[in-house]
Amino acid sequence: MIRTAKLSFLSLSAICTTLLVQPVAQAADMFVYDVQNAPTICNAAPVLNRITRNFAYQVRHVPNLPQVAIADFNHIHLRRSEATSQRWPIARHYCSAKVTLSNGYEHDIAYLIEEGQGFAAMGGANVEFCVSGFDRWLVYNAGCRVLK
């Protein structure tokens, strides 16, 4: 029994070491920004790339969504920004824009960027987004209100 436990511990140790050594996020997803430059956060390439990639995944895996892709972002602006505080230690930036899809139609998009929420809270950000008309299960409420 001791031998089995020892092998299990060694196997677990090897798996954890492998996971820690492997890159968790692509270099394009890792970005650091200054709160003083909040308006440029909304149009940062890593943010827009992540939204584009995750939207492509969403339309492939959610039933009855049109098979389209984001072709372009327009009218990008910061709606509001919440700095870190003792009550909420995560800085948040609420952005909105218009996206042109591959079918030529334009839709509103709302997205949230949370600072320091990458892997192990280091070097990245969490990005949540909602494209109007594509929130089939109303995760972000009707009209993407949660992210506005």
Side-chain angles (χ1 to χ4, degrees):
M1 281 191 166
I2 295 173
R3 187 173 213 202
T4 305
K6 188 174 183 180
L7 288 176
S8 296
F9 175 74
L10 290 175
S11 298
L12 181 60
S13 176
I15 290 170
C16 290
T17 302
T18 303
L19 289 175
L20 291 174
V21 172
Q22 296 296 321
V24 176
Q26 295 177 351
D29 289 339
M30 304 302 275
F31 56 96
V32 179
Y33 43 82
D34 182 8
V35 177
Q36 301 297 329
N37 294 325
T40 61
I41 292 169
C42 294
N43 61 5
V47 171
L48 302 181
N49 290 339
R50 187 179 302 173
I51 291 171
T52 302
R53 193 172 52 249
N54 290 351
F55 182 76
Y57 180 87
Q58 177 185 346
V59 296
R60 277 194 318 269
H61 292 90
V62 175
N64 301 321
L65 284 182
Q67 297 300 304
V68 295
I70 294 176
D72 196 17
F73 288 85
N74 304 302
H75 309 293
I76 299 171
H77 62 279
L78 177 69
R79 297 179 66 88
R80 76 176 192 267
S81 196
E82 297 175 3
T84 58
S85 67
Q86 287 199 9
R87 185 175 154 265
W88 189 256
I90 301 168
R92 292 178 165 187
H93 308 285
Y94 294 86
C95 306
S96 63
K98 297 247 183 220
V99 290
T100 305
L101 302 179
S102 57
N103 62 3
Y105 289 104
E106 196 171 75
H107 291 265
D108 291 326
I109 183 172
Y111 51 104
L112 163 69
I113 304 165
E114 293 178 311
E115 291 182 24
Q117 297 303 300
F119 178 69
M122 293 174 15
N126 178 47
V127 179
E128 299 286 331
F129 71 94
C130 177
V131 176
S132 181
F134 285 81
D135 187 16
R136 183 162 186 79
W137 296 315
L138 300 176
V139 173
Y140 298 104
N141 208 332
C144 303
R145 282 186 284 183
V146 171
L147 295 178
K148 291 181 179 178

